Amino acid sequence: MPKLPDKFIEELKTINLPDGAADKLIKALTAGNPSVSVRSNRAKEYLPVDAVRKVQWCERGRYLDSRPIFTLMPQLHQGRFYVQDASSMFITEAVRHIVNQTDNVPLTVMDACAAPGGKTTAIIDALPHGSLVVANEYDRRRASILKENLTKWGNSNVLISTGDTDQYARVRDTFDIIAIDAPCSGEGMMRKEDMAVEQWSPGLVEECSQIQRKIIANLWDAIKPGGFLIYSTCTFNTRENEENVKWIIDNFDCTSVDLDITRFSGIIKTDAGKSISCYRFLPGLIEGEGLFMSIIQKSGELKPGIDQSESKRDKKSHDKAKLPIDQISKWVKPEFNLAFSLSDDSTTIEAISQDGEMLLKRLKKSGVKSINRLLTIASTKGKDLIPDHALAMSKVLAPDAFPCQEVDRNHALDYLRREAITVDPSQPRGYILLTFESHPLGFVKNLGNRTNNLYPQNWRILMNVR
């Protein structure tokens, strides 16, 4: 890796850390060799066989002793696990603490800087069932990766938006939790990415600090009274970390939230002044990459849960949209109580819970423009209704909605490459759901003499090795 900048090392040693911590960090950064860790999906439990060492602060997190070729693991493409740095999994502990304070009721949560989706999927799995999540990403290219990862994760109660957080500036008192994993100078990624070393400068640190404050200011009013802000970065300097948290406390009516981390080894708790609790993860002290996190609670009495005060359910919307409700209702489990809608261009049928539909309308009314439902049920082509891959990945899929065919690993990889798949001659014509290890893999259309592979073109595996 490139040599660490002298100015970076100089500033690192000014941070108030325990004796020897800075030297251990510098040694770890220059040595490289980052750890490998994965987190299983709460709804689709799976872990690689050698994922046996537990991540202290994440129930579903495990370390691997070596890095396999994850691309060639069908379970990854099924959304059964996520490859994520262990430090970043601490978001589950932060959310768990808040959930315990709110009597385990469904919450409305926003992940403001969400791509590629690791923290969003972790948040989803830490929330009570029935919670709503809005995932926002500024960069449109990264937003497409976010959508892919969230689709594979399979939670239907998610809205996804693209663009600057200033589109949320008019939203008021809506979210129980807003998580901001802010764009930063990336010091915590230096041993994994040479670019993080090459791009670092004091000017970048200052620029990132100002961007972070702008994002916080844009979103503050959207937090409910008594609600929570989870602020994090993957950098080390105090300018983007403790100083920003202190700026929040000084400029908004709020208090710091203290977490009990005594059962975890290696995490450094720092005080930004005024009893402001912050948590640092440093390579060399923990098995993971660099992370900073602090939790802030807005003043006021929190009324957690889904706000239904401003919207009414439009019971006639299905008829107005002329949706094939009878057909698509057979494809989904009734207990999810979904609201179906046509996309703006009338080419796809989307769905979210009734509560999610009300949240979507409220956000659009407040000026959020680039926001849509994550779950697509089907696309329309003439009179044909084509089940979407998102339906195959989602837990709303009814178990008997489509004929199924189990495939082995080699055929699963062929499918994920969008190659031709042969189904059993006994299978009926029409749409067939392929499964791998009894979990949905995706759809094919059986034409009798051949099949059409319906795996999304942009997601296909390009590797030919097995």
Side-chain angles (χ1 to χ4, degrees):
M1 65 174 288
K3 181 179 180 295
L4 295 175
D6 292 339
K7 183 66 173 176
F8 165 73
I9 295 176
E10 179 184 324
E11 293 192 2
L12 193 61
K13 291 186 175 181
T14 66
I15 301 173
N16 184 21
L17 299 174
D19 290 343
D23 290 335
K24 290 179 181 179
L25 170 59
I26 293 169
K27 182 179 179 180
L29 292 179
T30 54
N33 193 31
S35 62
V36 182
S37 50
V38 297
R39 179 174 43 77
S40 67
N41 186 329
R42 177 175 68 180
K44 308 179 183 183
E45 293 287 355
Y46 173 82
L47 286 168
V49 291
D50 57 342
V52 293
R53 293 187 296 118
K54 189 172 182 180
V55 176
Q56 299 177 62
W57 44 83
C58 181
E59 177 184 356
R60 295 180 180 83
R62 297 291 187 278
Y63 293 102
L64 279 67
D65 290 330
S66 61
R67 190 178 187 90
I69 304 176
F70 287 115
T71 300
L72 299 180
M73 297 179 67
Q75 300 92 340
L76 176 70
H77 303 276
Q78 291 173 298
R80 295 167 64 189
F81 73 96
Y82 194 97
V83 184
Q84 185 179 33
D85 171 59
S87 299
S88 295
M89 296 181 194
F90 191 66
I91 188 73
T92 63
E93 177 66 18
V95 174
R96 185 200 64 79
H97 176 86
I98 295 171
V99 168
N100 288 342
Q101 305 302 308
T102 53
D103 298 326
N104 209 42
V105 301
L107 302 177
T108 304
V109 180
M110 179 182 184
D111 188 357
C113 309
K119 285 189 174 69
T120 315
T121 56
I123 289 169
I124 288 170
D125 279 8
L127 290 170
H129 289 285
S131 296
L132 290 170
V133 173
V134 176
N136 180 75
E137 173 54 39
Y138 173 79
D139 186 289
R140 291 191 178 277
R141 181 187 60 82
R142 285 170 53 82
S144 66
I145 300 171
L146 170 67
K147 184 175 182 179
E148 176 183 345
N149 287 330
L150 291 181
T151 297
K152 290 176 178 177
W153 207 247
N155 186 288
S156 63
N157 233 9
V158 178
L159 296 168
I160 188 165
S161 63
T162 308
D164 197 299
T165 53
D166 61 7
Q167 67 176 323
Y168 285 89
R170 291 175 54 208
V171 177
R172 299 288 183 271
D173 303 342
T174 297
F175 296 100
D176 298 293
I177 304 172
I178 290 184
I180 301 176
D181 186 38
C184 67
S185 57
E187 296 166 354
M189 303 300 290
M190 282 183 168
R191 71 171 176 172
K192 292 182 70 174
E193 299 177 5
D194 289 351
M195 181 61 70
V197 180
E198 295 167 357
Q199 73 178 4
W200 186 90
S201 71
L204 177 62
V205 170
E206 179 60 29
E207 179 184 354
C208 290
S209 174
Q210 295 305 313
I211 292 172
Q212 292 151 3
R213 293 186 181 191
K214 178 178 180 291
I215 292 171
I216 294 164
N218 283 341
L219 297 174
W220 184 259
D221 287 341
I223 304 173
K224 292 180 183 177
F228 297 84
L229 168 67
I230 303 175
Y231 177 76
S232 62
T233 72
C234 60
T235 203
F236 302 125
N237 66 82
T238 58
R239 185 79 178 95
E240 298 176 71
N241 293 330
E242 281 92 348
E243 290 182 41
N244 268 352
V245 175
K246 185 175 183 299
W247 175 83
I248 297 171
I249 298 291
D250 288 344
N251 287 274
F252 300 99
D253 191 8
C254 55
T255 56
S256 176
V257 175
D258 190 56
L259 298 179
D260 178 13
I261 59 169
T262 55
R263 64 192 185 282
F264 307 132
S265 61
I267 304 175
I268 296 174
K269 181 178 178 181
T270 62
D271 191 328
K274 299 184 178 180
S275 300
I276 302 172
S277 298
C278 305
Y279 307 92
R280 286 182 169 273
F281 293 68
L282 304 183
L285 279 74
I286 52 94
E287 191 174 0
E289 301 311 302
L291 177 78
F292 171 91
M293 184 176 291
S294 188
I295 305 173
I296 305 297
Q297 184 171 19
K298 193 174 187 177
S299 296
E301 181 181 355
L302 179 62
K303 297 180 180 178
I306 312 303
D307 185 1
Q308 300 182 359
S309 62
E310 296 184 12
S311 301
K312 295 181 179 180
R313 299 180 184 182
D314 185 357
K315 296 181 180 179
K316 297 181 180 180
S317 61
H318 292 166
D319 296 329
K320 289 180 181 179
K322 297 181 179 179
L323 293 170
I325 296 300
D326 290 343
Q327 184 173 352
I328 59 178
S329 293
K330 296 176 183 178
W331 293 356
V332 301
K333 298 173 183 176
E335 60 264 29
F336 282 87
N337 192 26
L338 296 176
F340 302 103
S341 300
L342 275 175
S343 59
D344 293 339
D345 59 6
S346 300
T347 61
T348 60
I349 298 171
E350 302 170 344
I352 197 168
S353 69
Q354 297 282 355
D355 289 332
E357 191 69 19
M358 287 189 286
L359 176 62
L360 176 62
K361 291 177 180 178
R362 177 175 182 174
L363 293 176
K364 284 185 173 181
K365 185 179 179 181
S366 297
V368 180
K369 296 179 180 179
S370 56
I371 186 166
N372 294 285
R373 307 160 194 83
L374 175 69
L375 176 60
T376 299
I377 298 292
S379 58
T380 57
K381 189 175 181 180
K383 294 183 179 181
D384 199 6
L385 198 61
I386 306 168
D388 194 86
H389 187 73
L391 177 62
M393 295 293 96
S394 176
K395 299 308 292 182
V396 308
L397 176 66
D400 56 351
F402 299 91
C404 295
Q405 178 160 322
E406 178 77 3
V407 296
D408 60 19
R409 178 179 178 274
N410 285 341
H411 285 97
L413 292 175
D414 288 341
Y415 174 77
L416 294 168
R417 293 187 182 99
R418 283 196 108 242
E419 296 176 1
I421 300 294
T422 301
V423 297
D424 192 279
S426 64
Q427 291 284 12
R429 294 194 179 196
Y431 298 105
I432 308 293
L433 177 67
L434 301 185
T435 61
F436 174 70
E437 297 181 345
S438 300
H439 286 264
L441 183 69
F443 292 110
V444 297
K445 186 175 184 181
N446 183 19
L447 302 175
N449 59 338
R450 62 183 178 86
T451 63
N452 287 343
N453 187 327
L454 300 184
Y455 191 69
Q457 176 75 20
N458 293 339
W459 299 0
R460 71 191 188 283
I461 294 177
L462 300 178
M463 299 176 67
N464 289 320
V465 297
R466 294 186 183 276

